Protein backbone atom coordinates (compact mmCIF):
# COMPACT_ATOMS: atom_id res chain seq x y z
CA UNK A 1 0.00 0.00 0.00
CA UNK A 2 1.32 3.46 -0.93
CA UNK A 3 2.20 5.83 1.86
CA UNK A 4 0.49 9.21 2.01
CA UNK A 5 3.80 10.95 1.19
CA UNK A 6 4.28 8.75 -1.88
CA UNK A 7 0.75 9.48 -3.09
CA UNK A 8 1.22 13.21 -2.57
CA UNK A 9 4.57 13.03 -4.38
CA UNK A 10 2.98 11.26 -7.32
CA UNK A 11 0.11 13.76 -7.39
CA UNK A 12 2.62 16.63 -7.48
CA UNK A 13 4.50 14.95 -10.32
CA UNK A 14 1.27 14.39 -12.25
CA UNK A 15 0.61 18.12 -11.99
CA UNK A 16 4.18 18.96 -12.99
CA UNK A 17 4.13 16.62 -16.01
CA UNK A 18 0.66 17.80 -17.05
CA UNK A 19 1.78 21.44 -17.02
CA UNK A 20 4.96 20.66 -18.97
CA UNK A 21 2.92 18.86 -21.64
CA UNK A 22 0.39 21.72 -21.83
CA UNK A 23 3.14 24.35 -22.15
CA UNK A 24 5.00 22.50 -24.90
CA UNK A 25 1.90 21.28 -26.78
CA UNK A 26 0.18 24.65 -26.49
CA UNK A 27 -3.13 23.21 -25.26
CA UNK A 28 -4.70 21.31 -22.36
CA UNK A 29 -7.12 19.23 -24.39
CA UNK A 30 -5.95 15.94 -22.91
CA UNK A 31 -6.39 13.84 -19.82
CA UNK A 32 -3.65 12.33 -17.70
CA UNK A 33 -4.33 9.00 -19.41
CA UNK A 34 -4.15 10.16 -23.04
CA UNK A 35 -1.28 8.95 -25.23
CA UNK A 36 1.26 11.72 -25.94
CA UNK A 37 1.47 11.10 -29.69
CA UNK A 38 -2.31 10.90 -30.07
CA UNK A 39 -2.82 14.40 -28.64
CA UNK A 40 -0.45 16.15 -31.02
CA UNK A 41 2.95 15.45 -29.50
CA UNK A 42 5.96 14.64 -31.64
CA UNK A 43 9.59 13.76 -31.03
CA UNK A 44 10.87 17.34 -30.70
CA UNK A 45 8.11 18.04 -28.17
CA UNK A 46 9.20 14.95 -26.23
CA UNK A 47 12.79 16.22 -26.12
CA UNK A 48 11.66 19.62 -24.85
CA UNK A 49 9.34 18.16 -22.23
CA UNK A 50 12.02 15.87 -20.83
CA UNK A 51 14.54 18.74 -20.79
CA UNK A 52 12.10 20.92 -18.84
CA UNK A 53 11.19 18.16 -16.40
CA UNK A 54 14.86 17.29 -15.94
CA UNK A 55 15.72 20.92 -15.22
CA UNK A 56 12.89 21.16 -12.69
CA UNK A 57 13.76 17.86 -10.99
CA UNK A 58 17.51 18.45 -11.13
CA UNK A 59 18.42 15.30 -13.02
CA UNK A 60 18.91 14.12 -16.59
CA UNK A 61 15.83 12.39 -17.94
CA UNK A 62 16.18 10.37 -21.13
CA UNK A 63 13.54 10.93 -23.80
CA UNK A 64 12.95 7.19 -23.95
CA UNK A 65 11.13 7.47 -20.59
CA UNK A 66 8.37 9.47 -22.28
CA UNK A 67 8.41 7.18 -25.30
CA UNK A 68 7.89 4.12 -23.10
CA UNK A 69 5.54 5.84 -20.65
CA UNK A 70 3.47 8.03 -23.00
CA UNK A 71 0.78 9.22 -20.60
CA UNK A 72 1.04 11.89 -17.93
CA UNK A 73 0.08 9.37 -15.25
CA UNK A 74 2.55 6.65 -16.29
CA UNK A 75 5.43 9.10 -16.75
CA UNK A 76 4.76 10.67 -13.35
CA UNK A 77 4.73 7.21 -11.73
CA UNK A 78 8.17 6.45 -13.18
CA UNK A 79 9.50 9.84 -12.09
CA UNK A 80 8.15 9.24 -8.58
CA UNK A 81 10.40 6.21 -8.06
CA UNK A 82 12.73 6.75 -5.08
CA UNK A 83 15.84 6.29 -7.21
CA UNK A 84 14.97 6.25 -10.90
CA UNK A 85 18.47 5.07 -11.74
CA UNK A 86 17.81 1.76 -10.00
CA UNK A 87 14.03 1.47 -9.84
CA UNK A 88 12.29 -1.41 -11.57
CA UNK A 89 10.06 0.92 -13.59
CA UNK A 90 13.00 2.80 -15.07
CA UNK A 91 15.06 -0.36 -15.63
CA UNK A 92 12.10 -1.75 -17.54
CA UNK A 93 11.98 1.50 -19.52
CA UNK A 94 15.57 0.92 -20.55
CA UNK A 95 17.01 3.95 -18.77
Amino acid sequence: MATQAAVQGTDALITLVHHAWADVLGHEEFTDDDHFFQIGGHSLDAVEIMRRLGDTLGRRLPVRLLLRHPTVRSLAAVLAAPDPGTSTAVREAGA
Side-chain angles (χ1 to χ4, degrees), residues 6-72:
V7 169
Q8 289 174 342
T10 301
D11 287 347
L13 281 169
I14 287 172
T15 300
L16 178 70
V17 172
H18 187 97
H19 287 299
W21 285 27
D23 287 346
V24 171
L25 295 173
H27 68 84
E28 287 196 54
E29 297 170 14
F30 58 90
T31 70
D32 294 337
D33 296 310
D34 284 336
H35 192 287
F36 178 74
F37 293 105
Q38 294 175 345
I39 60 169
H42 55 75
S43 59
L44 293 177
D45 292 336
V47 170
E48 178 62 17
I49 287 168
M50 297 311 283
R51 184 196 63 78
R52 288 181 185 204
L53 291 173
D55 288 351
T56 301
L57 297 172
R59 60 187 186 216
R60 183 186 167 282
L61 298 173
V63 174
R64 69 180 164 257
L65 285 179
L66 190 147
L67 300 176
R68 293 189 176 141
H69 302 277
T71 68
V72 168

